[in-house]
């Protein structure tokens, strides 16, 4: 029996812009177990990113409760939240958010810099291992502007992994990538999930959502429905069927 | 975060943004360097003025006629001719605190020797003048009492005059020169003294016997001033008192009447000059503060312009677990490193610039510790503040707001 790792109760987020109030989340209730692989879907503006930012402790809700790994997130101060992000969460952004002019290795080392227990030597070892696990060991000393979008996203995933988080959160991780690269990224997420890490992604593409275990559909700041994926696709197998030059053929 | 990691993060960030680092440093370098150079010029000229003044002889006293009151009407300074040759003789005889004394008349003279001509000041004095002014004779000699009495047509000249009349390095001794059409024989050449701190060429003059200048050239019976030297520097007040009393009696001044002469000591002149150079120093210091300010604004601009990029960076760092204070510490260390490096380079550049100015312009310079400290502290304070303040603002945001900052 898997444990509940994320528990959300009646989560509300209201953005205030002067007099105008935007109700981005209108009461979300959700439980996620530690072996789950969830895709959050829904129309643009339905509140997916807002929800993910709160899950990632990058933003705070207006109302509601959020327990992460049995910690009441709402009761934490800023420094404790930073600690939580460092230890338990790996966040992957649609736009990668790598430090410019900084090598892949140094980007991946970044979370470890804020982990007082890790020595400089261990930092490098772990960062290299994380890069290896996303298949980029040979690009460790390349800068973001020397990497393709897919490679940058894999660096960002390595950065999310390096601190051994309990949950990986990815907001449209394949939004800027082509089909094949998207499947490659999903391969990594699937393998992480098989290793026991909880993965939550946001996506617009049903194809991508087919690699997850179940989908949560957002609508106007509420959860419209949750659907279990009947036949979860295996990304690695899919990759083998995809011709390497598929995109060029299509042109 | 460990301090070691802070240092690594700061160093990485500085080396990754070389242009920004260099531009920020440049602001500090210019600020510090220019302040040091400016203040070095100011301080240097002040010191050189003081040196010039003390080299004139610190026990020197000069007596001028001054405006006197006739029935409440003050006439123009020096217009009533009240200093006479007899006053000079009396001072020499009756003032024990006085060592040397000379009367002085001064006029300007058109000098002609062969095909060359030159215009300069002509001083009529007694040989005591050379002792009072500590003027050394390089070649030839000074006239004696006999020539004085006879109003002999002899003179001593400075190097500048000699160079213009007879050419660079020529020996003028024994040559003839016509001063305002009167032929003089040159008997002495003073040792070169160069410019004084007021920019006056001390070698551009003709010195001739008092009687010759007063009677043959100017045909007057007054004297312009009397120069005396007290026996020691300590005896200046005593000498001043003696001269004042003597001249009051000789000029028959009543107890209610003002002195009709002024006695100026070298220290009076020194204090006037000091206040002049103080004005100069203030002027240079204000120019320097402007460059410090401009440098400061430069630093500020660079720091503020890079805020957008840096706010995102802060968002990323906080996103992966940096606390506000980790970010602040890193930015503080970065700013400190830039400011210290820029400051040190600025100090060296300022000293170098001062040396170059001293060498090329032959201006006196003197670098003071205060100017180094002042400029250094000011620039580093600006560098640190503007490196740290935007970072502090960003570190207070939610990570997501920092990431979204535009
Ligand atoms: N910082 C903000 N300030 C004000 N309103 C915001 C802010 N962020 C999001 N919103 C609003 O909240 C609502 C939900 O936005 P959100 O970004 O969560 O949507 P989304 O589901 O991620 O959409 P998309 O699929 O286009 O990424 C939208 O109406 C949006 O305009
Ligand atoms: Mg979104």
């Amino acid at each position: 029996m898997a444990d509940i790792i994320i528990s959300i109760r009646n989560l509300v987020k209201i953005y205030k812009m002067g007099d105008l109030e935007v109700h981005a989340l209108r009461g979300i209730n959700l439980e996620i177990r530690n072996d789950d692989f969830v895709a959050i879907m829904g129309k643009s503006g339905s509140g997916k990113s807002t929800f993910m930012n709160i899950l990632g402790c990058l933003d705070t809700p207006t109302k509601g409760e959020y327990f992460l790994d049995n910690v009441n997130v709402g009761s934490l101060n800023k420094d404790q939240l930073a600690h939580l992000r460092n230890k338990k969460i790996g966040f992957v952004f649609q736009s990668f958010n790598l430090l410019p002019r900084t090598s892949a290795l140094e980007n991946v080392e970044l979370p470890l810099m804020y982990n007082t227990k890790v020595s400089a030597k261990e930092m490098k070892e772990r960062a290299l291992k994380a890069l290896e696990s996303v298949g980029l060991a040979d690009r460790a000393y390349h800068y973001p502007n020397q990497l393709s979008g897919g490679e940058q996203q894999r660096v960002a995933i390595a950065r999310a992994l390096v601190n051994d988080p309990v949950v990986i959160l990815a907001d449209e991780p394949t939004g800027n990538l082509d089909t094949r690269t998207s499947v490659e990224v999903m391969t990594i997420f699937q393998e992480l999930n098989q290793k026991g890490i909880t993965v939550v992604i946001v996506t617009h593409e049903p194809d991508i959502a087919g690699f997850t275990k179940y989908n949560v559909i957002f609508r106007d700041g509420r959860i419209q429905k949750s659907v279990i994926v009947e036949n979860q696709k295996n990304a690695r197998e899919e990759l083998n069927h995809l011709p390497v030059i598929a995109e060029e053929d299509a042109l | 975060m460990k301090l070691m990691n802070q240092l690594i993060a700061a160093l990485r960030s500085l080396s990754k943004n070389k242009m920004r680092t260099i531009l920020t440093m440049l602001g500090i370098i210019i600020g510090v360097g220019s302040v040091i150079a400016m203040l070095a010029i100011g301080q240097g000229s002040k010191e050189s003025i003081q040196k010039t003044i003390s080299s004139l002889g610190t026990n020197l006293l000069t007596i001028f006629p001054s405006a006197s009151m006739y029935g409440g009407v003050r006439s123009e300074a020096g217009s009533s001719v009240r200093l006479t040759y007899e006053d000079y003789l009396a001072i020499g005889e009756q003032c024990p605190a006085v060592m040397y004394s000379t009367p002085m008349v001064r006029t300007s003279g058109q000098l002609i020797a062969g095909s060359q001509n030159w215009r300069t000041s002509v001083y009529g004095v007694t040989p005591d003048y050379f002792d009072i002014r500590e003027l050394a004779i390089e070649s030839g000699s000074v006239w004696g009492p006999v020539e004085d009495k006879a109003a002999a047509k002899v003179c001593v000249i400075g190097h500048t005059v000699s160079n213009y009349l007879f050419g660079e390095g020529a020996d003028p001794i024994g040559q003839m020169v016509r001063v305002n059409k009167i032929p003089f024989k040159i008997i002495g050449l003073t040792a070169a003294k160069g410019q004084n701190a007021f920019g006056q060429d001390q070698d551009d003059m003709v010195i001739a016997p008092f009687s010759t200048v007063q009677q043959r050239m100017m045909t007057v019976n007054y004297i312009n001033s009397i120069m005396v030297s007290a026996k020691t520097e300590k005896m200046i007040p005593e000498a001043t008192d003696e001269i004042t009393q003597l001249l009051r009696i000789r000029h028959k001044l009543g107890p209610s009447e003002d002195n009709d002469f002024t006695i100026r000591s070298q220290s009076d002149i020194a204090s006037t000059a000091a206040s002049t150079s103080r004005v100069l120093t203030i002027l240079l210091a204000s120019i320097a503060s402007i460059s410090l300010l401009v440098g400061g604004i430069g630093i500020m601009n660079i720091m503020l312009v890079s805020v957008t990029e840096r706010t995102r960076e802060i968002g990323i760092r906080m996103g992966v677990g940096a606390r506000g204070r980790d970010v602040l510490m890193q930015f503080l260390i970065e700013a400190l490193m830039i400011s210290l490096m820029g400051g040190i380079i600025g100090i060296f550049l300022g000293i170098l610039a001062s040396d170059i100015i001293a060498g090329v312009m032959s201006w006196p310079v003197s670098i003071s510790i205060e100017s180094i400290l002042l400029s250094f502290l000011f620039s580093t304070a600006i560098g640190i503040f503007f490196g740290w303040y935007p970072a502090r603002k960003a570190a207070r945001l939610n990570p997501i707001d920092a990431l979204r900052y535009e």
Side-chain angles (χ1 to χ4, degrees):
Chain A
M1 178 65 196
D3 297 324
I4 290 174
I5 191 109
I6 288 173
S7 169
I8 302 284
R9 259 174 254 148
N10 201 20
L11 201 73
V12 173
K13 178 72 180 181
I14 301 169
Y15 291 110
K16 287 205 175 68
M17 305 167 74
D19 290 342
L20 194 73
E21 286 192 349
V22 180
H23 292 258
L25 298 176
R26 299 166 185 266
I28 302 281
N29 292 289
L30 187 64
E31 285 186 347
I32 297 174
R33 293 169 188 281
N34 68 358
D35 60 354
D36 273 346
F37 188 177
V38 184
I40 294 173
M41 303 186 69
K43 280 198 305 215
S44 189
S46 56
K48 304 181 298 291
S49 294
T50 305
F51 181 65
M52 284 297 264
N53 293 338
I54 293 170
L55 280 192
C57 300
L58 299 170
D59 206 352
T60 47
T62 312
K63 259 193 285 195
E65 284 182 345
Y66 170 23
F67 286 86
L68 174 65
D69 208 11
N70 295 322
V71 177
N72 182 357
V73 174
S75 68
L76 302 181
N77 65 25
K78 281 193 154 193
D79 286 357
Q80 290 166 323
L81 284 175
H83 188 73
L84 200 67
R85 287 195 296 271
N86 188 250
K87 283 291 159 72
K88 304 216 162 158
I89 301 168
F91 206 100
V92 179
F93 302 87
Q94 179 179 356
S95 54
F96 321 136
N97 274 330
L98 299 175
L99 289 182
R101 295 180 292 276
T102 305
S103 70
L105 182 69
E106 285 178 14
N107 262 298
V108 177
E109 280 180 348
L110 203 60
L112 297 174
M113 299 271 275
Y114 300 100
N115 185 338
T116 42
K117 293 194 187 76
V118 184
S119 72
K121 188 165 156 270
E122 196 190 342
M123 202 151 84
K124 196 173 167 186
E125 279 168 11
R126 280 173 67 173
L128 277 172
K129 222 180 90 201
L131 277 172
E132 209 177 283
S133 72
V134 298
L136 282 178
D138 53 334
R139 312 299 294 272
Y141 296 99
H142 285 128
Y143 293 144
N145 62 0
Q146 298 168 325
L147 298 172
S148 73
E151 285 160 350
Q152 289 184 56
Q153 195 59 298
R154 275 145 68 192
V155 172
I157 294 170
R159 181 179 66 189
L161 294 178
V162 77
N163 244 350
D164 290 330
V166 293
V167 50
I168 291 207
L169 306 169
D171 190 356
E172 300 194 41
T174 60
N176 290 349
L177 307 178
D178 66 29
T179 313
R180 188 186 166 80
T181 322
S182 300
V183 178
E184 277 172 13
V185 165
M186 292 312 290
T187 313
I188 298 169
F189 284 137
Q190 270 192 347
E191 281 165 10
L192 288 171
N193 181 239
Q194 273 149 24
K195 279 186 206 155
I197 299 174
T198 316
V199 180
V200 182
I201 66 166
V202 170
T203 184
H204 283 284
E205 298 159 76
D207 274 352
I208 295 297
F211 294 111
T212 65
K213 288 179 177 168
Y214 74 93
N215 301 344
V216 176
I217 319 293
F218 271 51
R219 186 174 172 172
D220 288 338
R222 291 195 176 88
I223 293 178
Q224 190 189 19
K225 59 179 176 184
S226 288
V227 271
I228 297 191
V229 178
E230 295 290 340
N231 299 308
Q232 192 193 8
K233 292 187 287 178
N234 185 313
R236 185 157 295 286
E237 277 174 20
E238 191 97 346
L239 202 57
N240 293 337
H241 294 155
L242 274 177
V244 178
I245 45 165
E247 303 301 314
E248 279 149 75
D249 279 357
L251 288 174
Chain B
M1 183 155 69
K2 284 187 284 193
L3 185 66
M4 192 58 208
N5 288 355
Q6 308 266 26
L7 288 174
I8 293 171
L11 271 177
R12 278 181 181 174
S13 165
L14 289 184
S15 61
K16 258 144 219 167
N17 299 285
K18 288 199 183 66
M19 202 58 189
R20 189 179 67 211
T21 306
I22 288 168
L23 286 176
T24 315
M25 250 192 234
L26 207 62
I28 295 180
I29 291 171
I30 289 169
V32 172
S34 56
V35 169
I36 290 176
M38 294 286 174
L39 293 183
I41 294 169
Q43 186 65 25
S45 61
K46 194 155 112 193
E47 281 172 15
S48 112
I49 286 171
Q50 274 157 3
K51 221 163 75 197
T52 308
I53 288 160
S54 60
S55 80
L56 287 176
T58 42
N59 17 1
L60 180 73
L61 288 174
T62 312
I63 303 132
F64 304 95
S66 67
S68 54
M69 301 279 273
Y70 289 110
V73 179
R74 191 183 289 274
S75 49
E76 198 187 321
S79 63
S80 57
V81 179
R82 294 296 298 265
L83 275 186
T84 60
Y85 189 71
E86 285 68 37
D87 287 335
Y88 150 70
L89 289 177
I91 288 170
E93 282 160 16
Q94 293 171 42
C95 298
V98 169
M99 174 103 124
Y100 298 109
S101 61
T102 176
M104 186 192 267
V105 280
R106 200 184 67 210
T107 183
S108 67
Q110 190 69 38
L111 276 51
I112 301 170
S115 61
Q116 304 298 320
N117 73 90
W118 185 242
R119 193 170 181 83
T120 188
S121 298
V122 181
Y123 295 93
V125 291
T126 64
D128 269 10
Y129 179 77
F130 293 89
D131 295 309
I132 295 169
R133 291 289 313 274
E134 289 165 11
L135 269 180
I137 297 297
E138 187 176 296
S139 63
S141 61
V142 179
W143 64 90
V146 182
E147 285 91 343
D148 239 345
K149 268 229 175 64
K153 289 177 272 187
V154 295
C155 68
V156 173
I157 61 173
H159 266 280
T160 305
V161 175
S162 170
N163 289 346
Y164 275 106
L165 292 182
F166 306 107
E168 206 83 28
D171 181 14
I173 307 300
Q175 303 270 13
M176 295 302 290
V177 59
R178 295 169 73 86
V179 183
N180 293 354
K181 300 200 178 105
I182 303 165
F184 278 74
K185 187 179 175 197
I186 298 168
I187 59 167
L189 179 68
T190 57
K193 273 195 135 179
Q195 286 191 356
N196 67 12
F198 308 106
Q200 253 173 359
D201 182 358
Q202 298 176 97
D203 301 321
D204 185 11
M205 63 188 172
V206 172
I207 306 167
F210 169 76
S211 45
T212 317
V213 179
Q214 193 200 33
Q215 287 152 30
R216 288 190 196 269
M217 286 183 67
M218 298 168 72
T219 55
V220 295
N221 57 15
Y222 61 80
I223 62 180
N224 288 125
S225 60
I226 299 169
M227 273 176 135
V228 308
S229 69
K231 284 203 168 107
T232 65
E233 208 177 325
K234 281 216 182 77
M235 287 171 83
I236 287 176
E238 210 177 318
T240 310
D241 282 350
E242 286 171 7
I243 296 167
T244 308
Q245 275 173 26
L246 179 69
L247 289 185
R248 282 188 73 87
I249 293 166
R250 288 186 55 83
H251 295 184
K252 302 189 175 68
L253 296 174
S256 62
E257 276 178 291
D258 286 343
N259 288 344
D260 58 357
F261 55 89
T262 309
I263 303 178
R264 267 238 294 267
S265 74
Q266 212 47 32
S267 63
D268 296 336
I269 299 172
S271 69
T272 315
S275 74
T276 312
S277 69
R278 204 172 308 127
V279 171
L280 182 75
T281 309
I282 289 169
L283 195 76
L284 287 170
S286 43
I287 295 172
S289 350
I290 289 169
S291 45
L292 209 56
L293 206 69
V294 170
I297 290 170
I299 299 166
M300 194 173 87
N301 273 346
I302 303 287
M303 292 302 199
L304 290 181
V305 161
S306 65
V307 156
T308 313
E309 195 196 69
R310 305 229 73 182
T311 303
R312 282 186 70 85
E313 180 194 334
I314 290 171
I316 293 172
R317 289 179 181 280
M318 295 206 300
V320 301
R323 292 167 301 176
R325 74 181 97 124
D326 294 327
V327 170
L328 275 187
M329 196 56 162
Q330 182 204 322
F331 275 61
L332 203 63
I333 291 172
E334 273 182 38
L336 257 170
M337 284 177 172
I338 291 185
S339 304
L340 288 180
M341 268 193 281
I344 288 166
I345 297 173
I347 288 174
F348 278 111
L349 229 64
I351 293 173
L352 191 73
S354 309
D355 280 353
I356 290 172
I357 290 167
V360 175
M361 319 275 275
S362 64
W363 284 355
V365 299
S366 162
I367 293 161
S368 68
I369 296 292
E370 290 92 330
S371 70
I372 292 179
L373 279 181
L374 174 96
S375 56
F376 187 75
L377 288 181
F378 185 78
S379 316
T380 38
I382 287 191
I384 289 167
F385 181 76
F386 286 103
W388 168 81
Y389 178 71
R392 193 189 70 138
K393 258 170 70 176
R396 286 185 168 182
L397 297 173
N398 272 334
I400 196 67
D401 293 326
L403 279 166
R404 272 200 293 242
Y405 187 86
E406 262 153 19

